Amino acid sequence: MMFLMRLTAAGNLVQFDLAEPAQQLGVGPSRALFGMSLDELNTIALDLGEPAYRGQQIFDALYRQRADSLDAITTLPLSFRAALEAAGYSIAAPRIAQSFQSKDGTERYLVELADGRTVETVWMPEGDGTEEWGEDEEQSASKPYRRATICVSSQVGCAVRCQFCFTARMGLERHLTAGEIAGQVTAVLNRHDVEIGSARGQGNPDRINLVFMGMGEPFHNYDNFMDAFRLLVDGVGIPASRMTVSTSGIVPGIEAFAREPLRPRLAISLNAPNDDIRERIMPITRKWPIAELVKALKAVSLSPRERLTFEYVLLAKVNDQMQHAEELVSLIKGSGLRAKVNLIVWNPGPELDFAMPSPDTVAAFQAALRAAEIPAYIRRPRGLDIFAACGQLKRTVESSD
Ligand code: SF4
């Protein structure tokens, strides 16, 4: 069990169990409909004297039609909408409070939560730079639909102390609820008027990939993350195969994930070919060394076309040398895992004492993996000028120009 001590605004020292669901950390309005499951909505309908199918109508309105007020749920009788309002219910989905546009089309948002805190969400048109999330990216450019990736946060801050990550400097403020995780996605879909399936019109549906790689460690907030995932699949209508969750290697989380009947794809933020280097840049390795990580990953059964993704942030002179590439090849080949590697060129951030690798080094590292027949992709940095790139999320309110 993991605990975190935090000093509250009132100056009290509070102990959080990181495995506890967010509701127990005292967040979120009690009458927010957004984030509720179908069962919860059915119960509300019955409690207010309506047939249970009204719950399904609210569910569809919240997630499929993405209604932003009770008044907009025109499938419900006026009297029921009034009863919901009188009982204190409102949609109360997270909203975009601020946005920052990059020259490359990327947009970064500060999404405001009910308690006034904010998290970061990023919209990346035409993918996230690796061109290989999801199943059918090869169809992308010439099709009449838009394709984009949304990077979603799972916590306010993060308790994992990855040394190369800007978000780590915040520490963990709190977990997000399922509604706050799924609500980042609907807020961004609404902003861009995205069509998912045919729910919102007659046009061609857009192709949206989700990556849970924003602020936070999703597997430290496992239950809320998985609840959000289910809302996004069953409610919003985004296929599970278009979602990827990234973990720093929380072994109990991976074990639980392996038992899920429906799950997103899995990425592991590996970043080192051995425990010595990994411990230096990811102290969590002391708790779960690479061998334990690999053992847990072997229990995740993959569909025929699926691969695990190892993310590898290249840090000059730390983990980017040819011997590291060779060691990484041995590690992946020796593990027997069907995996690909996303190479991420480290993005410089204030207060972080690392250097960016040279383009030649990055190319040589990728070539070494490919020569060993390990699929390896280089993730183009996105939204660098607005602090939207990987490891840069810390609710910065400026842009670089
Ligand atoms: S890289 Fe991810 S897990 Fe590590 S500190 Fe940053 S947000 Fe947390």
Side-chain angles (χ1 to χ4, degrees), residues 157-162 164-168 214-217 248 269 282:
C158 186
V160 183
R161 293 177 297 119
C162 303
F164 50 83
C165 173
F166 204 28
T167 307
M215 298 167 81
E217 164 54 78
S248 58
S269 187
M282 299 180 74

Side-chain angles (χ1 to χ4, degrees), residues 47-95:
D47 286 350
L48 293 176
E50 294 284 331
Y53 70 80
R54 296 276 182 226
Q56 180 74 56
Q57 289 176 315
I58 304 175
F59 187 83
D60 291 343
L62 290 177
Y63 306 116
R64 199 61 67 130
Q65 283 104 43
R66 309 194 306 258
D68 58 4
S69 70
L70 287 175
D71 281 346
I73 313 182
T74 50
T75 47
L76 300 180
L78 267 175
S79 57
F80 183 35
R81 280 182 258 164
L84 283 168
E85 204 175 327
Y89 290 108
S90 63
I91 291 185
R95 62 171 202 97

Side-chain angles (χ1 to χ4, degrees), residues 124 126-133 147 309-315 320 322 325 328 340-347 356-370 374-382 384 390:
M124 294 169 280
E126 295 300 313
D128 73 339
T130 40
E131 310 300 336
E132 51 73 60
W133 297 118
R147 192 168 72 83
T309 300
F310 284 121
E311 296 171 281
Y312 196 103
V313 176
L314 287 161
L315 305 162
D320 69 338
M322 201 38 61
L328 184 60
K340 62 189 174 195
V341 177
N342 271 357
L343 297 171
I344 302 161
V345 180
W346 183 71
N347 300 304
M356 207 171 180
S358 73
D360 285 352
T361 310
V362 174
F365 204 98
Q366 181 188 35
L369 295 174
R370 290 194 161 172
I374 296 172
Y377 305 86
I378 299 170
R379 191 186 293 176
R380 276 183 285 129
R382 299 292 303 261
L384 269 175
C390 288

Side-chain angles (χ1 to χ4, degrees), residues 209-273:
N209 294 320
L210 302 183
V211 293
F212 298 93
M213 301 180 181
M215 298 167 81
E217 164 54 78
F219 284 3
H220 269 167
N221 187 19
Y222 187 86
D223 291 343
N224 291 336
F225 164 69
M226 284 305 297
D227 284 348
F229 162 74
R230 285 183 279 266
L231 290 178
L232 290 163
V233 174
D234 301 336
V236 179
I238 300 175
S241 61
R242 291 195 200 289
M243 301 187 209
T244 303
V245 61
S246 173
T247 179
S248 58
I250 310 296
V251 165
I254 297 170
E255 289 167 348
F257 189 78
R259 294 190 292 272
E260 296 288 350
L262 184 68
R263 56 166 182 78
R265 293 172 177 231
L266 182 61
I268 301 93
S269 187
L270 184 67
N271 307 315

Side-chain angles (χ1 to χ4, degrees), residues 99-104 106 108 166 347-350 382-389 392 395-401:
S99 65
F100 307 88
Q101 269 86 21
S102 165
K103 294 176 195 126
D104 67 15
T106 301
R108 178 172 69 93
F166 204 28
N347 300 304
R382 299 292 303 261
L384 269 175
D385 51 335
I386 54 164
F387 300 111
Q392 286 190 320
R395 297 185 309 203
T396 314
V397 291
E398 319 88 45
S399 61
S400 64
D401 55 13

